[in-house]
Amino acid sequence: MAAAATLGYRPNRIPGIMLSGRSHMVGVVIGGLDNPFYASALERLAIALRQAGLQVLLVQVDDALTLDSALDQLASYRIDAVVTSLAVGSQSVAHAFSELQTPVICFNSSFVGPWISTVTSNNYGAGQTAAEIFLKQGVIHPVWLAGPAKNAASRARADGFCDTLEKASDRFDKLIRLRGDDTYQSGYNAICRLLQRGARPDGIFSSNDMMACGVLDALRECGDLRCPNDVIVLGYDNIPQAAWHGYDLTSFDQRTDQMVTVAMDLLNEALQTVDHPFSQTRTINAQLIERGSTRTSK
Amino acid sequence: MAAAATLGYRPNRIPGIMLSGRSHMVGVVIGGLDNPFYASALERLAIALRQAGLQVLLVQVDDALTLDSALDQLASYRIDAVVTSLAVGSQSVAHAFSELQTPVICFNSSFVGPWISTVTSNNYGAGQTAAEIFLKQGVIHPVWLAGPAKNAASRARADGFCDTLEKASDRFDKLIRLRGDDTYQSGYNAICRLLQRGARPDGIFSSNDMMACGVLDALRECGDLRCPNDVIVLGYDNIPQAAWHGYDLTSFDQRTDQMVTVAMDLLNEALQTVDHPFSQTRTINAQLIERGSTRTSK
DNA sequence: TTGTAAGCGTTATCAA
DNA sequence: TTGATAACGCTTACAA
């Protein structure tokens, strides 16, 4: 032991990988780290994985092409599993994951396939809650600001929101549907254009907080509608900026801590059922964080 | 080949690691992903490493204890090198890195040691530039909002700023020095307290953008000073939020793209001089991005 | 050109 | 309890 210490000997884990076929490495596939929500999710996930004795092999993905080659590489390193928080995904992505023959845990995304498990926020339910808030606050001219069409979570939020609005269609004007790309700027632009067209919304539900921040800045700079007195704004993700005094944005918190815990449970289960496709879905209720952007004294 | 395709065969890279001793994996040690600057730096770094054919073994570190055990694990996986963007670091951290006997590239941090190379922003020079802007804009009551004492980059910015102010000490009131911890809230609190004490600063240089956003919100909410007419504000990092309409913050861009390019150069050099300590330092000039928070018509 | 064998650093198994 | 040996899946060097 003394000799080992002086020589700076470190046991080599590589041979063990060859023997057991388990590398104790997990591929983590991410994209869009510029959204603080994903950055924070990655941080929590990395902590949880380290505590479980697993290494994080990080793969940054911007398009489907890099994903394919990245997955090939992950497979070559004999990773035990893949965790991904890719929001935007087609069925071809799901197919690429399934071909790995390795457990895949989808974090807040919604791929389906034999090896794929999912932990997701209750997007539909949150959409319903948003609609109920609009009802309670007496909103008449509602606006829905969607994320990219490929974002399944955004679609589910829209469904819950629209279905509930329609049940009370006598109390609402026709819903205005806008589309953004989940960035601040797209939220800003969408609302500026809307106001320039002369629309006077009194309730805006944004598919995520980044766009909602853009919405709030657009309201301040274009037109004369004031939040929350003339128009209330609701976001999703509860990013740190939502709590900044300049925004004070009501938002749905996805409770990433719970989601990570559940993801780790799924991961452990999947790792135990070795070489067999493992597929489960778990849903976490988002938690409404009420702030100034919906606080009106009407 | 046909058989390989049907059976889903993937070459195994693990034996190659044993033979060559090179894993083509690079340990990336990060912390504080809640700061968008670090999230974006990580994203760019991950892309560059993948393009260089290197895998990213991610290590999330919150304290020195996890660092030690994490480095042990990295060593066991026979990583080729370490890249870190840890902002806060003592000499004991540098020692832990050096013990790895593996090339370490410090990204915007400043550890010293035989195996350690560094690429850093020209913090001192940016501090000078900030002081010159204050001079030009006729600032009389300057404020410096520092980051954590352990943050070497923040100290260097302070040095450049203070040295230049002192050279023109006849034109400035005594510099007020505040301390934050690089978070939004600490910037907000620092300025609220300052204004409550009755101070009337007319120029605030914040060690990073997160705190500067807090500063801007504090100015809006506490006291009657307006930015930029009564007080100008300067940040560092040029995070996306600095460009948001609600902040419109003048900031120094560290040009992470250039820094990543240089870091990759250093990495390649270090990987070629195998088994020999490699140590170099490169500095990148930060670029001033002028926005509304310093645009005054005085 | 094709084929065989050694070796990488561990773990695990079986024999002494 | 201890010690020798096979095995993991490739690469490489050398022999046929």
Side-chain angles (χ1 to χ4, degrees):
Chain A
M1 292 306 283
T6 50
L7 292 166
Y9 166 82
R10 315 263 184 160
N12 188 341
R13 298 195 70 169
I14 302 298
I17 301 176
M18 285 180 64
L19 271 304
S20 65
R22 331 241 73 208
S23 62
H24 298 278
M25 294 194 288
V26 171
V28 174
V29 179
I30 49 131
L33 272 194
D34 43 319
N35 185 337
F37 171 73
Y38 288 108
S40 139
L42 172 61
E43 191 158 38
R44 286 167 192 272
L45 187 63
I47 291 171
L49 286 169
R50 178 164 44 73
Q51 282 170 349
L54 295 166
Q55 301 296 319
V56 175
L57 208 46
L58 189 76
V59 175
Q60 207 309 322
V61 161
D62 7 61
D63 54 58
L65 276 148
T66 59
L67 180 68
D68 270 352
S69 77
L71 290 185
D72 255 13
Q73 297 194 18
L74 287 182
S76 295
Y77 278 91
R78 295 296 187 260
I79 48 154
D80 294 350
V82 171
V83 180
T84 180
S85 65
L86 246 39
V88 171
S90 58
Q91 197 51 36
S92 76
V93 176
H95 188 244
F97 278 130
S98 277
E99 275 202 330
L100 274 179
Q101 307 269 82
T102 289
V104 176
I105 314 290
C106 284
F107 194 84
N108 199 43
S109 17
S110 63
F111 305 121
V112 280
W115 289 88
I116 302 179
S117 291
T118 299
V119 43
T120 178
S121 171
N122 182 3
N123 294 296
Y124 188 91
Q128 290 179 309
T129 304
E132 284 156 16
I133 292 168
F134 276 31
L135 255 175
K136 200 172 68 185
Q137 301 254 7
V139 168
I140 295 169
H141 309 289
V143 171
W144 159 245
L145 175 52
K150 292 182 288 183
N151 187 327
S154 174
R155 289 200 310 270
R157 288 163 203 171
D159 290 345
F161 186 61
C162 298
D163 289 356
T164 309
L165 285 189
E166 266 167 34
K167 279 184 201 144
S169 57
D170 50 319
R171 296 179 52 189
F172 288 107
D173 208 20
K174 189 175 183 310
L175 175 69
I176 297 177
R177 290 157 172 274
L178 306 176
R179 180 168 304 286
D181 61 5
D182 280 349
T183 64
Y184 168 90
Q185 198 60 45
S186 75
Y188 183 90
N189 293 342
I191 297 303
C192 277
R193 277 197 304 269
L194 181 73
L195 297 177
Q196 277 158 16
R197 291 204 320 251
R200 297 189 65 80
D202 56 2
I204 302 172
F205 179 30
S206 168
S207 175
N208 81 354
D209 280 357
M210 297 277 278
M211 293 195 297
C213 287
V215 166
L216 288 168
D217 280 338
L219 288 172
R220 265 195 282 260
E221 295 191 0
C222 319
D224 59 347
L225 295 176
R226 289 295 156 258
C227 173
N229 289 331
D230 305 319
V231 50
I232 64 173
V233 176
L234 214 61
Y236 208 104
D237 289 347
N238 193 29
I239 62 176
Q241 286 73 21
W244 287 8
H245 293 74
Y247 295 103
D248 200 24
L249 171 69
T250 295
S251 185
F252 289 94
D253 189 310
Q254 302 205 35
R255 299 208 254 184
T256 43
D257 47 348
Q258 275 191 40
M259 290 180 72
V260 165
T261 306
V262 172
M264 293 302 296
D265 288 346
L266 289 175
L267 183 60
N268 286 326
E269 276 191 72
L271 289 179
Q272 269 148 35
T273 60
V274 195
D275 295 335
H276 288 285
F278 175 90
S279 185
Q280 273 201 16
T281 300
R282 302 273 175 83
T283 304
I284 308 283
N285 281 325
Q287 181 179 16
L288 181 70
I289 308 290
E290 293 203 76
R291 295 203 183 87
S293 72
T294 53
R295 211 171 283 144
T296 149
S297 43
K298 266 187 199 173
Chain B
M1 292 306 283
T6 50
L7 292 167
Y9 167 82
R10 315 265 184 156
N12 187 340
R13 298 196 70 171
I14 302 297
I17 301 175
M18 286 181 63
L19 272 305
S20 64
R22 331 242 73 207
S23 62
H24 299 278
M25 294 194 286
V26 170
V28 173
V29 179
I30 49 131
L33 272 194
D34 43 320
N35 185 337
F37 170 73
Y38 289 109
S40 141
L42 172 62
E43 192 157 38
R44 287 167 191 271
L45 187 63
I47 292 171
L49 286 169
R50 178 164 46 73
Q51 283 171 349
L54 295 166
Q55 301 296 318
V56 175
L57 208 45
L58 188 77
V59 176
Q60 205 312 319
V61 162
D62 7 61
D63 53 58
L65 276 149
T66 59
L67 180 68
D68 270 353
S69 77
L71 290 185
D72 254 13
Q73 298 194 19
L74 287 181
S76 295
Y77 277 90
R78 295 296 186 258
I79 48 155
D80 294 351
V82 171
V83 180
T84 180
S85 63
L86 246 37
V88 171
S90 58
Q91 197 50 35
S92 76
V93 175
H95 188 244
F97 278 130
S98 277
E99 275 201 331
L100 274 179
Q101 307 268 82
T102 289
V104 176
I105 313 290
C106 283
F107 193 83
N108 198 43
S109 16
S110 63
F111 305 122
V112 280
W115 289 87
I116 302 178
S117 291
T118 300
V119 43
T120 178
S121 172
N122 183 2
N123 294 296
Y124 188 91
Q128 290 179 310
T129 304
E132 284 156 17
I133 291 168
F134 275 32
L135 254 175
K136 201 171 69 184
Q137 302 253 8
V139 168
I140 296 171
H141 309 288
V143 171
W144 160 245
L145 176 52
K150 292 182 289 184
N151 187 327
S154 174
R155 288 201 309 269
R157 289 163 202 171
D159 290 345
F161 186 60
C162 297
D163 290 355
T164 309
L165 285 190
E166 266 166 36
K167 279 183 201 144
S169 57
D170 51 317
R171 298 179 49 189
F172 288 108
D173 208 20
K174 189 175 183 308
L175 175 68
I176 297 177
R177 292 158 172 273
L178 305 176
R179 180 169 302 287
D181 62 3
D182 279 348
T183 64
Y184 168 89
Q185 198 59 47
S186 74
Y188 183 88
N189 293 341
I191 297 304
C192 277
R193 277 198 304 269
L194 181 73
L195 296 177
Q196 277 158 16
R197 290 206 319 251
R200 297 188 65 81
D202 56 1
I204 302 174
F205 181 29
S206 167
S207 175
N208 82 354
D209 279 358
M210 297 277 277
M211 293 195 297
C213 288
V215 166
L216 288 168
D217 280 338
L219 287 171
R220 266 195 280 262
E221 295 191 0
C222 319
D224 59 347
L225 296 176
R226 288 294 154 259
C227 174
N229 290 332
D230 305 317
V231 50
I232 65 173
V233 176
L234 214 61
Y236 208 105
D237 289 346
N238 193 29
I239 61 176
Q241 286 71 23
W244 287 9
H245 293 73
Y247 294 103
D248 200 24
L249 170 69
T250 294
S251 184
F252 290 94
D253 189 311
Q254 302 205 36
R255 299 208 254 184
T256 42
D257 47 348
Q258 275 192 38
M259 291 182 71
V260 165
T261 306
V262 172
M264 293 303 297
D265 288 347
L266 288 175
L267 183 61
N268 285 327
E269 277 192 70
L271 288 179
Q272 269 148 36
T273 60
V274 196
D275 296 332
H276 288 284
F278 175 89
S279 185
Q280 274 202 15
T281 300
R282 301 273 175 85
T283 304
I284 308 282
N285 281 325
Q287 181 180 15
L288 182 70
I289 308 291
E290 292 202 75
R291 296 204 184 88
S293 72
T294 53
R295 210 171 285 143
T296 151
S297 44
K298 267 185 200 175

